[in-house]
Amino acid sequence: GPVTAKFEAGFAEYCGAPGAVSVASGTAGLHILLKAMGIGRGDEVITPSMTFASTVNQLVLAGAKPVFVDCDYGTLNLDVGAVEALITPKTKAVIPVHFAGGPCDMDPLMELARRRGVAVIEDAAHAVGTRYRGKPVGSHGNPAIFSFHPIKNITTGEGGMVTLHNQ
Ligand SMILES: *Cc1c(COP(=O)(O)O)cnc(C)c1O
């Protein structure tokens, strides 16, 4: 109802995104984003080896092949320097996970993604309120998913949000 619309508008503003759509869970957000972006059978998606199962489950459900990139021992986020060697002609996207509220190093990742023509979807399930170079996660031009599961930063019981720049 109207409270949901208000939450979506407020969340989008907080994250610095032009729009946000509430969903039943972070997992549901990944599900519809992969569909909306046409990612499926025969495609490869690079994502960190250390994440919640949901990120990988949704890739497998979509028929895409998850390709694991190792994590940086210091930040626990994906090792941006290890991504390029994993890009093949089948690579459609990279899904970085902002692990435990710590932001991924987005500038070199975005430079790489632009140069090699792959999309970036941010798994921000634990990154409500996280900032990278002073700007909130969700504002960096990519679709991002957030989770409101009880173990996450804020909760709605169950729930999630997708922030979008190109609607
Ligand atoms: C929790 C989580 C999700 C999924 O969120 P749900 O709301 O539980 O479906 C996706 N990715 C990561 C990294 C998570 O921790």
Side-chain angles (χ1 to χ4, degrees):
V3 177
T4 304
K6 202 173 158 194
F7 183 35
E8 289 170 334
F11 195 90
E13 192 186 342
Y14 178 73
C15 292
V21 178
S22 61
V23 284
S25 65
T27 304
L30 281 167
H31 186 189
I32 59 173
L33 266 182
L34 293 173
K35 285 252 183 247
M37 294 169 78
I39 295 172
R41 198 156 301 280
D43 298 332
E44 294 180 4
V45 177
I46 298 169
T47 199
S49 51
M50 189 169 63
T51 179
F52 181 55
S54 155
T55 324
V56 175
N57 286 348
Q58 289 310 307
L59 292 173
V60 173
L61 182 68
K65 179 180 168 194
V67 175
F68 292 116
V69 58
D70 215 344
C71 291
D72 179 279
Y73 196 71
T75 65
L76 307 180
N77 280 316
L78 62 71
D79 178 357
V80 177
V83 173
E84 186 154 24
L86 300 172
I87 295 177
T88 75
K90 294 179 173 175
T91 308
K92 285 281 155 48
V94 181
I95 307 184
V97 177
H98 300 289
F99 196 83
C104 287
D105 197 4
M106 294 305 292
D107 285 351
L109 184 63
M110 292 307 297
E111 187 279 320
L112 171 65
R114 267 192 290 270
R115 185 159 49 76
R116 299 296 302 267
V118 299
V120 174
I121 300 170
E122 295 179 51
D123 184 330
H126 356 125
V128 177
T130 289
R131 288 174 174 267
Y132 174 74
R133 298 207 188 284
K135 286 174 61 197
V137 162
S139 70
H140 294 91
N142 308 304
I145 65 102
F146 296 83
S147 170
F148 308 129
H149 180 274
I151 66 158
K152 306 300 163 83
N153 314 60
I154 61 171
T155 185
T156 55
E158 286 274 11
M161 195 75 85
V162 179
T163 54
L164 296 160
H165 288 260
N166 178 356
Q167 296 168 72

